[in-house]
Amino acid sequence: MANKQAYKYKSFIDLKYKPSKTDVLCQYKISPARGFSFRECASMVAGESSVGTWTEVETMNARIGKMLTPKVFEIDSKKRRARIAYPIELFELGNLPEIMSSIGGNIFGMKSVKGLMWEDLTIRKKMLKSFKGPRFGIKGLRKKFKIKKRPFVGTIVKPKVGLQPGEHSKVAYESWKGGCDIVKDDENLTSQKFNEFKKRFLKTIKMLDKAEKETGERKAYLINCTAETKNMLKRIDFVEKNGGNYIMLDILTLGWAGLQTARDFTKLPIHAHRAGHAMVDRNPEHGMSMEVIAELARMVGVDTLHIGTAYGKMSGKKDEILHIEQEIEGPFTKKTKEHLGQKWYGVKPVLGVASGGVYPGIVPKIINFMGKDVVLQAGGGVHGHPLGTEAGARAMRQAVEASIKRESLKKYSKNSKELKIALEKWGE
Ligand code: CAP
Ligand code: MG
């Protein structure tokens, strides 16, 4: 029986350690439970996520210790921050569920640690390259949909669920006709009785073709293929075989293995909805940050990813959203006091999606804040327009045009009736 004194994890702290080029780095914010020091908790997090457990084991040996022991190489107890370097041999490359079971697993439930927030991650080249990364990237999307510079304009068919396939396809057509480049399903619409997947797809893709002919613009339909993986693959296959040009996945409810399976299978761009992210990233004291989710999504390979807007209805602070945008759209991010650095070694960028309470009046602010490499996506902000969906889409495009021309919305709305009415209803 263990003696009274609680066994302390073998100390994994080595503040002299300089991480190697292949070490995977994690940054955690750690809140020790009563009776445990910060250093002890940092060491326990390192141990429990790798080779350790609550007590020394007779079966441990020097070879394992040398090869697989992580090092806590930086600690800032004031900020309750620890940075841990994990030997890459600890992980099965190409297997994100296993990686998550290590650095995103048991450590969140240890009694000795009251709160643990996984803030950042440095993924090394060898691990990055064991996944496919985005198939299209921003350049590929712009080429595929012939949108040279401006932000993409998207909408979500609303109400979220309930429309039948014919009604759904009509709303999609009006959105495309009015100027949306993208129409997506909502995150909780897949293949319910009232709107079955194949029926919805066939009717809506017909409307896409009609809208493309009438507008002379390329249009995208992001049909939600989230399902049990065998079903998901059947649906993606159906979309590919019937003229589809995009798929949408709720990547967190689908799970990392499901996303890997879809990425390995499809030839189409993947739109990553992040429904459920706030379960893990909203409480700053416990969970995993949207930045880590975004890095993992880029590594596996999505083409567009919701990252928040800061001006909309959902949580997410401005500086956090900007940093995530850099992380998914840039070639690298630098190490700072707050963040670990990340090099992407040519892994294609992911186009950020600003969505959630978006409407024409806040378009200039979002473009100012997030730049032009963004999808401006409005559901209520299109279908809530007093003159209806087509007018709502027109108003969104007019707001984008005004912003690109650096004209005030007020001035631009003088010759744009739909924008004027949107401003009267929702303001700027
Ligand atoms: C937006 C939306 C998206 C949110 C998700 C919704 O609709 O379709 O799911 O954008 O949030 O269902 O709320 P509205 P986030 O335009 O009508 O708000 O983008 O932050 O992941
Ligand atoms: Mg939605």
Side-chain angles (χ1 to χ4, degrees):
M1 188 48 194
N3 67 32
K4 290 261 177 313
Q5 191 241 358
Y7 277 81
K8 293 275 177 291
Y9 281 65
K10 176 178 141 341
S11 171
F12 292 90
I13 295 180
D14 177 352
L15 301 181
K16 293 201 191 61
Y17 182 71
K18 292 277 167 273
S20 77
K21 289 221 169 323
T22 58
D23 284 345
V24 174
L25 311 183
C26 287
Q27 174 177 308
Y28 296 101
K29 180 160 70 170
I30 302 174
S31 309
R34 192 197 297 277
F36 292 91
S37 73
F38 177 79
R39 287 172 75 102
E40 275 174 329
C41 288
S43 192
M44 289 187 220
V45 167
E48 186 61 43
S49 52
S50 59
V51 293
T53 185
W54 63 279
T55 173
E56 307 290 334
V57 292
E58 297 307 318
T59 44
M60 183 47 140
N61 66 44
R63 188 196 78 251
I64 298 172
K66 188 163 174 308
M67 184 170 72
L68 300 178
T69 305
K71 307 260 186 320
V72 180
F73 65 94
E74 261 181 51
I75 52 177
D76 174 341
S77 18
K78 252 204 305 321
K79 288 206 169 137
R80 292 179 289 134
R81 236 177 219 146
R83 289 178 168 172
I84 305 174
Y86 291 88
I88 198 160
E89 291 73 17
L90 194 64
F91 305 105
E92 181 191 350
L93 300 183
N95 178 348
L96 187 46
E98 182 280 326
I99 295 165
M100 289 302 289
S101 298
S102 170
I103 49 183
N106 282 6
I107 49 179
F108 290 87
M110 299 197 295
K111 277 196 192 128
S112 51
V113 175
K114 188 173 73 209
L116 183 68
M117 175 40 106
W118 181 6
E119 292 184 320
D120 207 346
L121 165 68
T122 297
I123 313 170
R124 296 304 191 183
K125 186 174 182 180
K126 226 168 125 190
M127 183 176 278
L128 276 179
K129 299 295 179 183
S130 68
F131 294 88
K132 289 191 183 307
R135 180 188 285 274
F136 288 83
I138 297 175
K139 279 207 191 84
L141 289 175
R142 287 193 174 283
K143 187 159 166 271
K144 182 174 174 69
F145 293 101
K146 299 203 178 330
I147 298 174
K148 277 208 175 57
K149 287 210 173 54
R150 65 171 171 80
F152 288 62
V153 174
T155 189
I156 310 101
V157 174
K158 299 283 178 182
K160 284 178 177 271
V161 287
L163 294 178
Q164 290 160 350
E167 296 165 329
H168 183 100
S169 62
K170 184 169 171 296
V171 171
Y173 168 71
E174 288 169 5
S175 309
W176 283 315
K177 186 93 168 63
C180 284
D181 308 299
I182 287 175
V183 172
K184 70 180 270 295
D185 289 350
D186 228 325
E187 67 278 357
N188 55 334
L189 176 65
T190 49
S191 192
Q192 286 89 327
K193 282 272 161 288
F194 49 76
N195 194 337
E196 284 177 341
F197 183 90
K198 287 185 176 175
K199 285 194 196 111
R200 174 166 83 251
F201 177 75
L202 292 174
K203 284 183 180 292
T204 308
I205 203 73
K206 265 207 195 84
M207 288 295 119
L208 180 146
D209 296 340
K210 183 172 169 357
E212 283 194 332
K213 284 192 189 74
E214 290 171 0
T215 60
E217 293 185 334
R218 287 284 173 89
K219 302 295 182 183
Y221 175 38
L222 286 48
I223 183 159
N224 191 351
C225 297
T226 307
E228 176 284 323
T229 37
K230 293 185 294 304
N231 238 342
M232 170 187 75
L233 294 181
K234 278 190 205 129
R235 292 180 186 179
I236 297 174
D237 195 44
F238 181 80
V239 170
E240 293 188 353
K241 291 200 168 98
N242 290 280
N245 58 15
Y246 224 117
I247 63 166
M248 164 186 169
L249 296 170
D250 298 334
I251 60 171
L252 296 174
T253 52
L254 178 69
W256 295 112
L259 179 60
Q260 284 191 247
T261 301
R263 175 63 185 89
D264 290 349
F265 180 83
T266 190
K267 300 176 201 51
L268 298 178
I270 296 175
H271 178 88
H273 195 289
R274 60 176 183 169
H277 71 96
M279 226 192 287
V280 293
D281 73 14
R282 191 164 186 189
N283 174 352
E285 299 304 315
H286 192 80
M288 115 195 231
S289 68
M290 182 60 211
E291 179 173 350
V292 170
I293 294 172
E295 287 188 65
L296 297 174
R298 179 173 181 181
M299 176 175 77
V300 173
V302 301
D303 295 287
T304 30
L305 170 69
H306 287 234
I307 55 172
T309 65
Y311 298 101
K313 73 183 183 188
M314 308 299 257
S315 60
K317 293 197 290 304
K318 276 179 83 169
D319 52 352
E320 177 214 77
I321 291 168
L322 266 190
H323 187 81
I324 296 168
E325 189 182 23
Q326 276 163 4
E327 194 72 274
I328 62 168
E329 295 192 355
F332 67 90
T333 49
K334 284 210 291 294
K335 178 181 172 185
T336 65
K337 278 209 303 306
E338 299 300 306
H339 293 283
L340 290 170
Q342 177 63 43
K343 285 198 194 97
W344 288 98
Y345 299 100
V347 172
K348 289 194 177 100
V350 175
L351 186 57
V353 177
S355 176
V358 172
Y359 57 90
I362 57 169
V363 162
K365 274 197 210 136
I366 298 176
I367 296 176
N368 266 336
F369 165 55
M370 299 177 80
K372 295 187 188 116
D373 276 341
V374 70
V375 179
L376 294 163
Q377 193 170 275
V382 164
H383 311 296
H385 192 286
L387 298 185
T389 292
E390 185 172 338
R394 234 177 266 294
M396 279 295 288
R397 276 295 283 271
Q398 289 160 358
V400 170
E401 273 138 33
S403 310
I404 303 289
K405 290 187 180 125
R406 295 199 174 287
E407 257 190 58
S408 76
L409 294 185
K410 205 165 168 57
K411 190 159 163 268
Y412 200 84
S413 68
K414 287 203 175 29
N415 306 321
S416 314
K417 175 181 67 145
E418 297 82 358
L419 177 58
K420 187 166 177 299
I421 296 170
L423 296 179
E424 280 157 7
K425 177 167 182 180
W426 293 307
E428 295 197 42

